[in-house]
Amino acid sequence: MHEIVVVKQVLGIAIEHAEVNNAKKVAKIYLSIGELRDYIDEWVQRYFDHISKGTIAEGAEIILKKVPAFSACDCGALTKIDRNNMYDLVCSKCGSSKLHINSGLEFLITGVEVID
Ligand SMILES: [Zn+2]
């Protein structure tokens, strides 16, 4: 899973944030993850727990928010992407199949809560 690399980056950013703010501990990390990402909620936390051992981010709680997936069409319409039917997707307004992904691939840190 390529998410391993991303979780490592999340840890690095959280630690950096805590250090810049002279905090003693990272309490919570808020993530926004697109629906199209292959991840398992509990797996992200479990993996984070594993790699954060011995750091100031150890024990931090990861709060995940799912970002719905939409595709955009040249006509301006957004169409909800059904993961199970991604390749037959057509624009909900004009029926075009020339769509590109507008959202759903995010893996963003939206907040880091620290304890001073
Ligand atoms: Zn369209």
Side-chain angles (χ1 to χ4, degrees):
M1 271 195 188
H2 58 282
E3 264 73 11
I4 287 173
V5 179
V6 191
V7 175
K8 271 185 187 156
Q9 286 170 356
V10 167
L11 174 64
I13 291 166
I15 290 174
E16 204 182 297
H17 180 83
E19 283 174 355
V20 166
N21 292 287
N22 291 316
K24 287 196 186 68
K25 236 179 144 13
V26 177
K28 285 178 187 168
I29 300 168
Y30 295 87
L31 297 178
S32 280
I33 302 181
E35 272 183 354
L36 301 178
R37 286 279 193 172
D38 288 317
Y39 75 96
I40 304 163
D41 295 25
E42 58 186 82
W43 183 87
V44 172
Q45 178 77 61
R46 210 181 307 155
Y47 185 67
F48 182 85
D49 289 347
H50 179 70
I51 61 168
S52 65
K53 276 208 179 85
T55 73
I56 52 172
E58 185 176 348
E61 187 187 350
I62 295 185
I63 295 156
L64 295 171
K65 197 184 133 222
K66 282 190 189 179
V67 181
F70 282 96
S71 64
C73 175
D74 289 339
C75 79
L78 291 176
T79 304
K80 182 89 178 71
I81 299 174
D82 174 2
R83 261 201 89 139
N84 302 316
N85 199 18
M86 269 182 78
Y87 301 101
D88 294 322
L89 196 71
V90 292
C91 175
S92 56
K93 197 177 168 196
C94 72
S96 167
S97 58
K98 285 188 205 139
L99 304 173
H100 52 93
I101 292 173
N102 184 66
S103 65
L105 291 172
E106 294 81 356
F107 204 125
L108 303 168
I109 300 180
T110 53
V112 177
E113 237 175 79
V114 294
I115 300 168
D116 292 326

